[in-house]
Coordinates of all heavy atoms in Angstrom, one line a residue:
M728 N 16.3 2.3 2.7 CA 16.9 2.7 4.0 C 16.5 4.2 4.3 O 16.5 5.0 3.4 CB 18.5 2.6 3.9 CG 19.1 3.0 5.2 SD 20.7 2.2 5.5 CE 20.4 0.5 5.3
T729 N 16.2 4.4 5.6 CA 15.7 5.8 5.9 C 17.0 6.6 6.1 O 18.1 6.2 6.1 CB 15.0 5.7 7.3 OG1 15.8 5.4 8.4 CG2 13.8 4.7 7.2
K730 N 16.7 7.9 6.3 CA 17.8 8.9 6.5 C 18.5 8.6 7.8 O 19.7 9.0 8.0 CB 17.3 10.3 6.5 CG 16.9 10.8 5.2 CD 16.4 12.2 5.2 CE 15.9 12.6 3.8 NZ 15.4 14.1 3.8
K731 N 17.9 7.9 8.7 CA 18.4 7.6 10.0 C 19.1 6.2 10.0 O 19.5 5.8 11.0 CB 17.4 7.7 11.1 CG 16.8 9.0 11.4 CD 15.9 9.1 12.5 CE 15.4 10.5 12.7 NZ 14.8 10.7 14.0
G732 N 19.2 5.7 8.8 CA 20.0 4.4 8.7 C 19.3 3.1 9.0 O 19.8 2.1 9.1
I733 N 17.9 3.2 9.1 CA 17.1 2.0 9.4 C 16.6 1.4 8.0 O 16.2 2.1 7.2 CB 15.9 2.4 10.3 CG1 16.4 2.9 11.6 CG2 15.0 1.1 10.5 CD1 17.2 2.1 12.4
G734 N 16.8 0.1 7.9 CA 16.4 -0.6 6.6 C 15.8 -2.0 7.0 O 15.8 -2.4 8.1
V735 N 15.4 -2.6 6.0 CA 14.9 -4.0 6.2 C 16.0 -4.8 6.8 O 17.2 -4.7 6.3 CB 14.4 -4.6 4.8 CG1 14.1 -6.1 5.0 CG2 13.2 -3.8 4.3
G736 N 15.7 -5.5 7.8 CA 16.8 -6.3 8.5 C 17.2 -5.6 9.8 O 17.9 -6.3 10.6
S737 N 17.0 -4.3 9.9 CA 17.5 -3.6 11.2 C 16.8 -4.2 12.3 O 15.6 -4.7 12.2 CB 17.2 -2.1 11.0 OG 18.0 -1.5 10.1
S738 N 17.3 -4.1 13.5 CA 16.6 -4.6 14.7 C 15.6 -3.6 15.2 O 15.7 -2.4 14.9 CB 17.7 -4.8 15.8 OG 18.1 -3.6 16.3
F739 N 14.6 -4.1 16.0 CA 13.6 -3.3 16.6 C 14.3 -2.3 17.6 O 13.9 -1.2 17.7 CB 12.6 -4.2 17.3 CG 11.4 -3.5 17.8 CD1 10.9 -2.3 17.2 CD2 10.7 -3.9 19.0 CE1 9.8 -1.7 17.7 CE2 9.7 -3.3 19.5 CZ 9.1 -2.1 18.9
A740 N 15.4 -2.8 18.2 CA 16.1 -1.9 19.1 C 16.7 -0.7 18.3 O 16.7 0.4 18.8 CB 17.2 -2.7 19.8
D741 N 17.2 -1.0 17.2 CA 17.8 0.1 16.3 C 16.7 1.2 16.0 O 17.0 2.4 16.0 CB 18.3 -0.4 14.9 CG 19.5 -1.3 15.2 OD1 20.2 -1.1 16.3 OD2 19.9 -2.1 14.3
V742 N 15.5 0.6 15.6 CA 14.4 1.5 15.3 C 14.1 2.4 16.5 O 13.9 3.7 16.4 CB 13.1 0.8 14.9 CG1 11.9 1.6 14.7 CG2 13.3 0.0 13.6
K743 N 14.0 1.8 17.7 CA 13.6 2.6 18.9 C 14.7 3.6 19.2 O 14.5 4.7 19.7 CB 13.3 1.7 20.1 CG 12.0 0.9 19.9 CD 11.6 0.2 21.1 CE 12.5 -1.0 21.3 NZ 11.9 -1.8 22.5
R744 N 16.0 3.2 19.0 CA 17.1 4.1 19.3 C 17.1 5.3 18.4 O 17.2 6.5 18.8 CB 18.4 3.4 19.2 CG 19.6 4.2 19.5 CD 21.0 3.6 19.2 NE 21.2 3.4 17.7 CZ 21.3 2.2 17.1 NH1 21.2 1.1 17.8 NH2 21.4 2.2 15.8
E745 N 16.7 5.1 17.1 CA 16.7 6.2 16.2 C 15.4 7.1 16.1 O 15.5 8.2 15.9 CB 17.0 5.7 14.7 CG 18.4 5.1 14.5 CD 19.5 6.1 14.8 OE1 19.3 7.3 14.5 OE2 20.5 5.8 15.4
Y746 N 14.3 6.4 16.4 CA 13.0 7.1 16.3 C 12.3 7.3 17.6 O 11.3 8.0 17.7 CB 12.1 6.3 15.3 CG 12.5 6.4 13.9 CD1 13.4 5.5 13.3 CD2 12.1 7.5 13.1 CE1 13.8 5.7 12.0 CE2 12.5 7.7 11.8 CZ 13.4 6.8 11.3 OH 13.8 6.9 10.0
G747 N 12.8 6.6 18.7 CA 12.2 6.9 20.0 C 11.2 5.8 20.3 O 11.0 4.8 19.5
T748 N 10.5 5.9 21.4 CA 9.5 4.9 21.8 C 8.1 5.5 21.8 O 7.1 4.9 22.3 CB 9.8 4.5 23.3 OG1 9.8 5.6 24.2 CG2 11.1 3.7 23.3
N749 N 8.0 6.7 21.2 CA 6.6 7.4 21.1 C 6.1 6.9 19.7 O 6.1 7.6 18.7 CB 6.7 8.8 21.2 CG 5.4 9.5 21.2 OD1 4.4 8.9 21.5 ND2 5.3 10.8 20.9
Y750 N 5.5 5.7 19.7 CA 4.9 5.2 18.4 C 3.6 4.6 18.7 O 3.2 4.3 19.8 CB 5.9 4.2 17.8 CG 6.2 3.0 18.6 CD1 5.3 1.8 18.8 CD2 7.3 2.9 19.4 CE1 5.6 0.8 19.5 CE2 7.7 1.8 20.2 CZ 6.8 0.7 20.3 OH 7.1 -0.3 21.0
R751 N 2.8 4.4 17.6 CA 1.5 3.7 17.7 C 1.6 2.4 17.0 O 2.2 2.3 15.9 CB 0.4 4.5 17.1 CG 0.2 5.8 17.8 CD -0.9 6.6 17.1 NE -0.5 7.2 15.9 CZ 0.0 8.5 15.7 NH1 0.1 9.2 16.8 NH2 0.3 8.9 14.5
K752 N 0.9 1.4 17.5 CA 0.8 0.1 16.8 C -0.4 0.2 15.9 O -1.5 0.6 16.4 CB 0.7 -1.0 17.8 CG 2.0 -1.3 18.4 CD 1.9 -2.6 19.3 CE 3.3 -3.0 19.8 NZ 3.2 -4.3 20.6
K753 N -0.3 -0.2 14.7 CA -1.4 -0.2 13.7 C -1.4 -1.6 13.1 O -0.5 -2.3 12.8 CB -1.1 0.8 12.6 CG -1.0 2.2 13.1 CD -2.4 2.8 13.3 CE -2.3 4.3 13.7 NZ -3.6 4.9 13.7
N754 N -2.6 -2.1 12.8 CA -2.8 -3.4 12.1 C -3.4 -3.0 10.8 O -4.4 -2.4 10.6 CB -3.8 -4.3 12.9 CG -3.8 -5.7 12.3 OD1 -3.0 -6.0 11.4 ND2 -4.5 -6.6 12.9
T755 N -2.6 -3.3 9.7 CA -3.0 -2.9 8.4 C -3.4 -4.2 7.5 O -2.9 -5.3 7.8 CB -1.8 -2.2 7.7 OG1 -0.7 -3.2 7.4 CG2 -1.3 -1.0 8.5
E756 N -4.2 -4.0 6.6 CA -4.7 -5.1 5.7 C -3.6 -5.6 4.8 O -3.5 -6.8 4.7 CB -5.8 -4.6 4.9 CG -6.5 -5.6 4.1 CD -7.7 -5.1 3.3 OE1 -8.5 -4.3 3.9 OE2 -7.9 -5.4 2.1
I757 N -2.8 -4.8 4.3 CA -1.7 -5.2 3.4 C -0.4 -5.8 4.1 O 0.1 -6.8 3.8 CB -1.3 -4.1 2.5 CG1 -2.5 -3.7 1.7 CG2 -0.1 -4.4 1.6 CD1 -2.3 -2.5 0.8
Y758 N 0.0 -5.0 5.2 CA 1.4 -5.3 5.8 C 1.2 -6.0 7.2 O 2.3 -6.3 7.7 CB 2.2 -4.0 5.9 CG 2.4 -3.4 4.6 CD1 1.8 -2.1 4.2 CD2 3.2 -3.9 3.7 CE1 2.0 -1.5 3.0 CE2 3.5 -3.4 2.4 CZ 2.9 -2.1 2.2 OH 3.1 -1.5 0.9
G759 N 0.0 -6.1 7.7 CA -0.1 -6.7 9.0 C 0.2 -5.7 10.1 O 0.0 -4.5 9.9
E760 N 0.6 -6.1 11.3 CA 0.9 -5.2 12.3 C 2.2 -4.4 12.1 O 3.2 -5.0 11.7 CB 1.0 -6.0 13.6 CG 1.1 -5.1 14.9 CD 1.0 -5.9 16.2 OE1 0.1 -6.7 16.3 OE2 1.8 -5.5 17.0
M761 N 2.0 -3.1 12.4 CA 3.2 -2.2 12.1 C 3.2 -1.2 13.3 O 2.3 -1.0 14.0 CB 3.0 -1.4 10.8 CG 2.8 -2.3 9.6 SD 2.7 -1.3 8.1 CE 4.5 -1.1 7.8
I762 N 4.4 -0.5 13.4 CA 4.5 0.6 14.4 C 4.6 1.8 13.5 O 5.3 1.9 12.5 CB 5.7 0.4 15.3 CG1 7.0 0.2 14.6 CG2 5.5 -0.8 16.2 CD1 8.2 0.3 15.5
E763 N 4.0 2.9 14.0 CA 4.0 4.2 13.3 C 4.6 5.3 14.1 O 4.2 5.5 15.2 CB 2.5 4.5 13.0 CG 2.3 5.8 12.2 CD 0.9 6.1 12.1 OE1 0.2 6.6 13.0 OE2 0.3 5.7 11.0
F764 N 5.4 6.1 13.5 CA 5.9 7.3 14.1 C 5.4 8.5 13.2 O 5.3 8.3 12.0 CB 7.5 7.3 14.0 CG 8.1 6.2 14.8 CD1 8.3 5.0 14.3 CD2 8.4 6.5 16.1 CE1 8.9 4.0 15.1 CE2 9.0 5.4 16.9 CZ 9.2 4.2 16.3
Q765 N 5.1 9.6 13.9 CA 4.6 10.8 13.2 C 5.4 12.0 13.5 O 5.6 12.2 14.7 CB 3.1 11.0 13.5 CG 2.5 12.1 12.7 CD 1.0 12.3 12.9 OE1 0.4 11.4 13.5 NE2 0.4 13.3 12.3
D766 N 6.0 12.7 12.5 CA 6.7 13.9 12.8 C 5.8 15.0 13.2 O 4.8 15.3 12.5 CB 7.5 14.3 11.5 CG 8.4 15.5 11.7 OD1 7.9 16.6 12.1 OD2 9.6 15.3 11.5
S767 N 6.0 15.5 14.4 CA 5.0 16.6 14.9 C 5.1 17.9 14.1 O 4.1 18.6 14.2 CB 5.4 16.8 16.4 OG 6.6 17.3 16.6
K768 N 6.1 18.1 13.4 CA 6.2 19.4 12.6 C 5.7 19.3 11.2 O 5.0 20.2 10.8 CB 7.7 19.9 12.6 CG 8.3 20.3 13.9 CD 9.7 20.6 13.8 CE 10.3 20.8 15.1 NZ 11.8 20.9 15.2
T769 N 5.9 18.2 10.6 CA 5.4 18.0 9.2 C 4.2 17.1 9.0 O 3.6 17.0 8.0 CB 6.6 17.4 8.3 OG1 6.8 16.0 8.8 CG2 7.8 18.2 8.4
N770 N 3.9 16.4 10.1 CA 2.8 15.5 10.1 C 3.1 14.2 9.3 O 2.2 13.3 9.1 CB 1.5 16.1 9.7 CG 0.4 16.1 10.7 OD1 0.6 15.6 11.8 ND2 -0.8 16.5 10.4
Q771 N 4.3 14.1 8.7 CA 4.6 13.0 7.9 C 4.7 11.8 8.8 O 5.1 11.8 10.0 CB 6.1 13.2 7.3 CG 6.6 12.0 6.5 CD 5.8 11.8 5.2 OE1 5.4 12.7 4.5 NE2 5.4 10.5 5.0
K772 N 4.2 10.6 8.3 CA 4.2 9.3 9.0 C 5.1 8.3 8.4 O 5.3 8.3 7.1 CB 2.8 8.8 9.1 CG 1.9 9.6 9.9 CD 0.5 9.0 10.0 CE -0.4 10.0 10.7 NZ -1.8 9.5 10.7
I773 N 5.8 7.6 9.2 CA 6.6 6.4 8.7 C 6.2 5.2 9.5 O 6.0 5.3 10.7 CB 8.1 6.7 8.8 CG1 8.9 5.6 8.1 CG2 8.6 6.9 10.2 CD1 10.4 5.9 7.9
R774 N 6.0 4.1 8.8 CA 5.7 2.9 9.5 C 6.7 1.8 9.2 O 7.2 1.7 8.1 CB 4.3 2.4 9.0 CG 3.2 3.2 9.5 CD 1.8 2.7 9.1 NE 0.8 3.6 9.6 CZ -0.5 3.4 9.4 NH1 -0.9 2.3 8.8 NH2 -1.4 4.2 9.9
F775 N 6.9 0.9 10.2 CA 7.8 -0.2 10.2 C 7.0 -1.5 10.5 O 6.4 -1.5 11.5 CB 9.0 0.0 11.1 CG 9.8 1.2 10.9 CD1 9.6 2.4 11.6 CD2 10.9 1.1 10.1 CE1 10.3 3.5 11.4 CE2 11.7 2.3 9.8 CZ 11.4 3.4 10.5
G776 N 7.2 -2.4 9.6 CA 6.7 -3.8 9.9 C 7.8 -4.5 10.7 O 9.0 -4.5 10.3
I777 N 7.5 -5.1 11.8 CA 8.4 -5.7 12.7 C 8.1 -7.2 12.8 O 7.0 -7.6 13.1 CB 8.5 -5.1 14.1 CG1 8.7 -3.6 14.0 CG2 9.5 -5.8 14.9 CD1 10.1 -3.2 13.6
D778 N 9.0 -8.1 12.5 CA 8.9 -9.5 12.9 C 9.4 -9.7 14.3 O 10.5 -9.6 14.6 CB 9.8 -10.3 11.9 CG 9.9 -11.8 12.2 OD1 9.3 -12.2 13.3 OD2 10.6 -12.5 11.6
Y779 N 8.4 -9.8 15.2 CA 8.7 -9.7 16.6 C 9.5 -11.0 17.1 O 10.2 -11.0 18.1 CB 7.4 -9.5 17.5 CG 6.9 -8.2 17.3 CD1 5.7 -7.9 16.6 CD2 7.5 -7.0 17.9 CE1 5.3 -6.6 16.4 CE2 7.0 -5.8 17.8 CZ 5.9 -5.6 17.0 OH 5.4 -4.3 16.8
E780 N 9.3 -12.1 16.3 CA 10.0 -13.3 16.7 C 11.5 -13.1 16.5 O 12.3 -13.7 17.4 CB 9.5 -14.5 15.9 CG 9.9 -15.8 16.2 CD 9.3 -17.0 15.4 OE1 8.1 -17.0 15.4 OE2 10.1 -17.7 14.8
N781 N 11.9 -12.4 15.5 CA 13.3 -12.2 15.2 C 13.7 -10.8 15.5 O 14.9 -10.5 15.3 CB 13.6 -12.6 13.7 CG 13.3 -14.0 13.4 OD1 13.8 -14.9 14.1 ND2 12.6 -14.3 12.4
N782 N 12.8 -9.9 15.9 CA 13.1 -8.5 16.3 C 13.8 -7.8 15.1 O 14.7 -7.1 15.3 CB 13.9 -8.4 17.5 CG 13.0 -8.5 18.7 OD1 11.9 -8.0 18.8 ND2 13.5 -9.2 19.8
R783 N 13.2 -8.0 13.9 CA 13.8 -7.4 12.7 C 12.7 -6.6 11.9 O 11.6 -7.0 11.8 CB 14.5 -8.3 11.8 CG 15.6 -9.1 12.4 CD 16.8 -8.2 12.5 NE 17.9 -8.9 13.3 CZ 18.9 -8.2 13.9 NH1 18.9 -6.9 13.8 NH2 19.8 -8.8 14.5
V784 N 13.1 -5.5 11.3 CA 12.2 -4.8 10.3 C 12.0 -5.6 9.1 O 13.0 -6.1 8.5 CB 12.8 -3.4 10.0 CG1 12.1 -2.7 8.9 CG2 13.0 -2.5 11.2
T785 N 10.8 -5.7 8.7 CA 10.5 -6.5 7.4 C 10.0 -5.6 6.3 O 10.1 -6.0 5.1 CB 9.4 -7.5 7.8 OG1 8.2 -6.9 8.2 CG2 9.8 -8.6 8.8
V786 N 9.4 -4.4 6.6 CA 9.0 -3.5 5.6 C 9.0 -2.1 6.2 O 8.8 -1.9 7.4 CB 7.5 -3.9 5.1 CG1 6.6 -3.7 6.2 CG2 7.2 -3.1 3.9
I787 N 9.2 -1.1 5.3 CA 9.1 0.3 5.7 C 8.1 1.0 4.8 O 8.3 0.8 3.5 CB 10.5 1.0 5.6 CG1 11.5 0.3 6.5 CG2 10.4 2.5 5.9 CD1 13.0 0.8 6.3
V788 N 7.2 1.8 5.3 CA 6.2 2.4 4.5 C 6.2 3.9 4.8 O 6.1 4.3 6.0 CB 4.8 1.8 4.7 CG1 3.7 2.6 4.0 CG2 4.7 0.3 4.4
I789 N 6.3 4.7 3.8 CA 6.2 6.2 3.9 C 5.0 6.6 3.1 O 4.9 6.2 1.9 CB 7.5 6.9 3.5 CG1 8.6 6.5 4.4 CG2 7.2 8.4 3.6 CD1 10.0 7.0 4.0
Y790 N 4.1 7.3 3.6 CA 2.8 7.6 2.9 C 2.7 9.0 2.5 O 2.9 9.8 3.3 CB 1.7 7.1 3.9 CG 0.3 7.3 3.2 CD1 -0.1 6.4 2.2 CD2 -0.5 8.2 3.6 CE1 -1.3 6.5 1.6 CE2 -1.7 8.4 3.0 CZ -2.1 7.5 2.0 OH -3.3 7.6 1.4
D791 N 2.3 9.2 1.3 CA 2.1 10.6 0.8 C 0.6 11.0 0.7 O -0.1 10.6 -0.1 CB 2.7 10.7 -0.7 CG 2.5 12.0 -1.3 OD1 1.9 13.0 -0.6 OD2 3.0 12.2 -2.4
Y792 N 0.2 11.7 1.8 CA -1.2 12.1 2.0 C -1.7 13.0 0.9 O -2.8 13.2 0.6 CB -1.5 12.7 3.3 CG -1.4 11.6 4.4 CD1 -0.3 11.4 5.2 CD2 -2.6 10.9 4.7 CE1 -0.3 10.4 6.2 CE2 -2.6 9.9 5.6 CZ -1.5 9.7 6.4 OH -1.5 8.7 7.4
D793 N -0.8 13.7 0.2 CA -1.2 14.6 -0.8 C -1.7 13.9 -2.1 O -2.4 14.4 -2.9 CB 0.0 15.6 -1.2 CG 0.3 16.6 0.0 OD1 -0.6 16.9 0.7 OD2 1.5 17.1 0.0
T794 N -1.1 12.7 -2.3 CA -1.4 11.9 -3.4 C -2.6 10.9 -3.2 O -3.4 10.7 -4.1 CB -0.2 11.1 -3.9 OG1 0.8 12.1 -4.2 CG2 -0.5 10.4 -5.2
Y795 N -2.6 10.3 -2.0 CA -3.5 9.2 -1.7 C -4.4 9.5 -0.5 O -3.9 10.1 0.4 CB -2.8 7.9 -1.5 CG -1.9 7.5 -2.6 CD1 -0.5 7.8 -2.6 CD2 -2.4 6.9 -3.8 CE1 0.3 7.4 -3.6 CE2 -1.5 6.6 -4.8 CZ -0.2 6.8 -4.8 OH 0.5 6.5 -5.8
K796 N -5.6 9.1 -0.6 CA -6.5 9.3 0.5 C -6.5 8.3 1.6 O -6.8 8.5 2.8 CB -8.0 9.5 0.0 CG -8.2 10.6 -1.0 CD -8.2 11.9 -0.4 CE -8.5 13.0 -1.4 NZ -7.6 14.2 -1.2
F797 N -6.3 7.0 1.2 CA -6.4 5.9 2.1 C -5.1 5.0 2.0 O -4.9 4.4 1.0 CB -7.6 5.0 1.8 CG -7.8 3.9 2.8 CD1 -8.2 4.2 4.1 CD2 -7.5 2.6 2.5 CE1 -8.3 3.1 5.0 CE2 -7.6 1.6 3.4 CZ -8.1 1.8 4.7
P798 N -4.2 5.0 3.0 CA -2.9 4.3 2.8 C -2.9 2.9 2.9 O -2.1 2.2 2.3 CB -2.1 4.9 4.1 CG -3.2 5.2 5.1 CD -4.4 5.6 4.3
Y799 N -3.8 2.2 3.6 CA -3.7 0.7 3.8 C -5.0 0.0 3.6 O -5.3 -1.0 3.9 CB -3.1 0.4 5.2 CG -1.8 1.2 5.4 CD1 -1.8 2.3 6.2 CD2 -0.7 0.8 4.8 CE1 -0.7 3.0 6.4 CE2 0.5 1.5 5.0 CZ 0.5 2.6 5.8 OH 1.6 3.3 6.1

């Protein structure tokens, strides 16, 4: 669960309410299509996998760029 209370099973509407609508859609090899939010101050990114048929979060990915060079 994120600090904003979003976890697996949360609705897509909950994600947009807590994180806004300024996101990018990404297609990843491991997790499929995801939406990505980036913190403008820290550059930290968080991605949510969304099951659009049920409008629910299926996975949450937070990536550490200091440790890894290629996230997906």
Side-chain angles (χ1 to χ4, degrees):
M728 183 153 307
T729 70
K730 290 181 181 180
K731 295 186 177 192
I733 301 299
V735 171
S737 294
S738 72
F739 188 32
D741 291 340
V742 173
K743 290 190 289 187
R744 182 185 68 244
E745 293 301 323
Y746 288 90
T748 56
N749 187 20
Y750 59 85
R751 292 181 288 267
K752 287 187 175 184
K753 299 281 186 170
N754 194 357
T755 68
E756 189 175 313
I757 297 172
Y758 301 109
E760 190 170 311
M761 303 187 84
I762 58 171
E763 175 185 87
F764 297 89
Q765 184 170 355
D766 186 299
S767 61
K768 294 177 186 166
T769 66
N770 242 1
Q771 178 68 45
K772 294 179 183 178
I773 186 169
R774 289 183 180 181
F775 298 92
I777 306 290
D778 173 358
Y779 291 105
E780 188 174 307
N781 297 308
N782 279 324
R783 297 286 173 202
V784 173
T785 59
V786 67
I787 300 169
V788 177
I789 300 172
Y790 185 71
D791 181 357
Y792 285 97
D793 291 335
T794 304
Y795 302 100
K796 301 286 183 222
F797 184 75
Y799 308 101

